[in-house]
Amino acid sequence: MIVEMKNVSFIREGRVILDRLHWEVQENEQWVILGLNGSGKTSLLNILLGYEYPSKGEVSVLGHRFGKTNLPELRKHIGFVSNSFERFQPTLESETVEEVIVSGKFASIGLYEPVTVEDFHQAEQWMNVFRIGYLKGKTYRTLSQGEKRKVLIARALMAKPKLLILDEPTVGLDMLTREELLALIKDVIMKKVCHVLYVTHYIEEIIEEMTHVLLLKDGKIIAAGQKEKILTDDYLSETFQIDVHVRWEHNRPWVSIKKALHFSK
């Protein structure tokens, strides 16, 4: 079992942010998490990473039950990429690309432990996989947004994680760079490097290799399961609170709005 949540609720200052979630991620499943801002996606990720603890219920990740495991050690087996890394920009921007990637081995931002020649060799291998070998020796602050995102995903894979969590990894990228990034994620899945949890607002980013979808609304699960059964007009309209239509092209879903919203003056 990759993820198991039983009757999980998360309450802060009297507000129910997650409400009695039951969810499982099995071996060989690749999941996408969809929901509006405020639906509970970030809180769900924080719980899976052990940065927040559920108010009620049981959580297990990679077979480790929370409350009975060493969370800092568990995080070393979970790769994580998020826009929240922006708060670490002062540290990241002073480092070379290789140093940023190697730091993933220690689940740290910045290098604070001894590093070997083999570590840097492995970082260069990931750079080649992500087709950014030309960035060797460059400082992180000189990179484009797309290059930075590739570096951070390579960093997340440095520790050979069993689970990779990608939190809106294509935000701010142009169409070409987005598709390049999705192609790299496809390779990660196809090569069975690790399991992926992919959080996005954009239905069209659900590539063929992603198998399952979790829909969140107001902290509750609207639906969860195989993507073909979950990505329907009714489920998505309820999740996004606007009437939408889903069509499939080249094994990827695309969504259009049936009727635009109008606000009276």
Side-chain angles (χ1 to χ4, degrees):
M1 187 80 69
I2 305 303
V3 172
E4 185 175 20
M5 304 184 83
K6 296 181 178 179
N7 198 36
V8 169
S9 293
F10 183 58
I11 303 169
R12 282 294 178 269
E13 299 179 358
R15 180 187 171 202
V16 179
I17 299 173
L18 297 175
D19 189 8
R20 294 168 291 179
L21 303 190
H22 291 272
W23 181 41
E24 293 182 353
V25 175
Q26 305 280 356
E27 291 281 347
N28 299 317
E29 294 177 351
Q30 311 291 346
W31 281 77
V32 177
I33 302 174
L34 294 171
L36 293 174
N37 290 335
S39 63
K41 300 189 303 297
T42 298
S43 295
L44 175 61
L45 296 187
N46 284 338
I47 287 174
L48 294 179
L49 290 161
Y51 294 129
E52 298 281 5
Y53 205 80
S55 305
K56 300 177 183 177
E58 298 178 5
V59 177
S60 295
V61 177
L62 301 176
H64 298 271
R65 182 174 172 181
F66 286 19
K68 296 184 178 181
T69 192
N70 183 321
L71 291 176
E73 283 301 313
L74 174 60
R75 288 189 201 109
K76 292 181 180 180
H77 300 285
I78 304 173
F80 181 49
V81 176
S82 171
N83 288 320
S84 65
F85 281 15
E86 290 179 359
R87 67 182 185 274
F88 300 115
Q89 287 295 339
T91 300
L92 289 170
E93 291 188 350
S94 64
E95 296 186 319
T96 65
V97 168
E98 299 95 306
E99 289 170 336
V100 172
I101 295 174
V102 168
S103 71
K105 175 183 177 179
F106 309 102
S108 65
I109 300 294
L111 291 174
Y112 310 101
E113 300 183 46
V115 179
T116 67
V117 172
E118 177 57 31
D119 291 332
F120 281 108
H121 178 65
Q122 187 179 344
E124 289 182 24
Q125 288 180 321
W126 279 116
M127 290 170 69
N128 291 332
V129 169
F130 281 80
R131 301 166 200 155
I132 52 174
Y134 62 91
L135 295 177
K136 183 178 179 179
K138 302 289 185 182
T139 54
Y140 185 81
R141 66 172 175 270
T142 65
L143 310 186
S144 69
Q145 283 297 103
E147 290 169 339
K148 287 180 178 178
R149 216 61 55 84
K150 292 175 184 177
V151 168
L152 291 178
I153 296 177
R155 173 192 173 276
L157 293 169
M158 181 69 186
K160 300 178 181 178
K162 297 178 181 178
L163 176 64
L164 175 62
I165 298 176
L166 301 174
D167 184 13
E168 300 186 37
T170 66
V171 168
L173 302 185
D174 60 45
M175 185 180 297
L176 174 59
T177 306
R178 181 190 72 172
E179 292 301 313
E180 288 176 344
L181 196 63
L182 289 173
L184 291 171
I185 294 168
K186 173 180 177 177
D187 288 344
V188 168
I189 294 173
M190 291 293 289
K191 293 176 182 176
K192 296 184 178 180
V193 174
C194 59
H195 291 82
V196 173
L197 296 183
Y198 189 94
V199 180
T200 182
H201 289 292
Y202 304 108
I203 311 299
E204 64 271 18
E205 292 181 6
I206 302 177
I207 56 177
E208 182 178 1
E209 290 68 25
M210 296 173 182
T211 61
H212 290 66
V213 173
L214 172 71
L215 301 180
L216 279 178
K217 177 187 174 186
D218 297 330
K220 297 181 179 180
I221 294 177
I222 297 298
Q226 293 180 343
K227 63 183 180 183
E228 292 83 1
K229 298 178 180 179
I230 302 303
L231 296 175
T232 66
D233 292 6
D234 289 343
Y235 279 145
L236 289 177
S237 294
E238 182 178 359
T239 301
F240 293 113
Q241 301 176 45
I242 187 171
D243 287 337
V244 300
H245 171 65
V246 182
R247 71 184 191 280
W248 293 80
E249 295 181 12
H250 306 294
N251 295 314
R252 280 172 68 176
W254 300 80
V255 67
S256 57
I257 297 172
K258 289 183 180 179
K259 186 178 181 181
L261 294 175
H262 294 282
F263 296 95
S264 57
K265 295 182 179 179

